[in-house]
Amino acid sequence: MATVTLRNGRLIGDYLVPYIIAELNTSHFGDVATARSMIYQAKEAGCDCVKFQSWSTESLYSAGYYRENAIAKRIVNKFSLADAKLEELAAYCREMSIDFASTPYSRHEAEFLVKRCEVPFIKIASMELNNLPYLRYLGSIGAPLVLSTGMGTLEEIIRAVEAIEETGNRQIIILHCTSVYPAPPETIRLQNILGLRSEFAAYPIGYSDHSTGIEIPAASIALGACVIEKHFTLDSSRIGMDNQMATEPGEMKAMIEACHKVHAALGGTGRILDSSERDQIPKMRRSVITARSLKAGSIIEAADLDAKRPGTGIPPTAIDTVIGKRLKVDIEVDEMILPEHFE
């Protein structure tokens, strides 16, 4: 089984207890007080980690783009969090005993997260999948990497992983992802988790979810997903970037409970009877009984026998051992036959 150990010691692996990441994205609307409230609510819902975005106007778009899209610069400024604010939120996460992580979009942002915020891993956005120089840099900074694969062909994913491996970094978690917001069920192709596991047997495979509802993340657990990343908001009715498709605290709690129930139900591939199921055998299985009244001295024939509950007598699998026996007592119809009834 492929595993990765995060910088805080948490072991991540296929079919292990899933690691749940609340993706806060821009649903804090650039407000630290809102972000702190989101951290608290994510912890209350049962999340293992909250993840922010470390972008700035300089790291996300080019100057030429801003010249043609002036409003974009104002939006990025509004929704971004400066280094000092991220460091403050990382400290609050430590107080709340929930992991803090973020997605960097520049070398400075990545280094800041590792050295100042002490993140357990670096999250790599799907948009960076073909940014090979940046992937090599991230591979070299000494942190486990969580790689989203939205918009990527298998060939692009292979090349991205190879670029990281070139740095000697083998601490990689790969997330299946569909970069549509929200993603309709028919676009998700959840069994890609199995395809990625087949292609990248050395690395754990998780799922970054952009669907609405809780069913698809829970279903991914049945495929062994090691990480679930889900967009999180305090109020999905507010207009914002991806906020309307994000999950509110109550639904996040329900999703996490569903994921853990599915995980608890998985078991292994070997056939094992739990003791509680074994206790059902005498109640629910059948025993050999008489199909008609029989007299003492009768030689038992197949037509004399049937099987009914409870399973406390001779099991139907042993019915052949009863046929041909001579009775030493009378037995009424529809009664259990026991070994002491034979001569």
Side-chain angles (χ1 to χ4, degrees), residues 253-270:
K253 181 178 175 66
M255 185 204 79
I256 293 169
E257 290 174 350
C259 287
H260 286 299
K261 281 183 179 179
V262 172
H263 180 263
L266 286 179
T269 57

Side-chain angles (χ1 to χ4, degrees), residues 125-146:
S126 292
M127 61 176 276
E128 309 290 5
L129 200 62
N130 68 341
N131 189 355
L132 302 185
Y134 185 54
L135 294 180
R136 292 188 187 98
Y137 169 75
L138 293 178
S140 71
I141 62 176
L145 303 178
V146 178

Side-chain angles (χ1 to χ4, degrees), residues 260 275 302 328 340:
H260 286 299
S275 59
K328 62 181 181 181
E340 55 263 33

Side-chain angles (χ1 to χ4, degrees), residues 271-283:
R271 186 70 180 176
I272 297 173
L273 292 184
D274 188 80
S275 59
S276 60
E277 189 176 15
R278 289 185 182 278
D279 291 343
Q280 297 288 71
I281 290 175
K283 302 173 188 176

Side-chain angles (χ1 to χ4, degrees), residues 73-88:
K73 192 167 189 176
R74 293 198 297 271
I75 291 172
V76 172
N77 267 325
K78 175 179 174 56
F79 288 108
S80 64
L81 293 170
D83 287 353
K85 292 181 178 179
L86 288 172
E87 195 167 6
E88 175 189 338

Side-chain angles (χ1 to χ4, degrees), residues 196-245:
L196 288 171
R197 186 173 296 124
S198 177
E199 184 67 40
F200 303 101
Y203 303 120
I205 308 299
Y207 173 55
S208 180
D209 181 59
H210 294 147
S211 71
T212 55
I214 70 173
E215 300 86 355
I216 293 172
S220 76
I221 301 301
L223 299 177
C226 62
V227 169
I228 300 295
E229 183 182 56
K230 181 80 168 171
H231 281 243
F232 184 64
T233 183
L234 298 180
D235 181 5
S236 61
S237 68
R238 290 187 67 180
I239 304 299
M241 297 168 62
D242 303 331
N243 189 65
Q244 289 89 339
M245 52 80 65

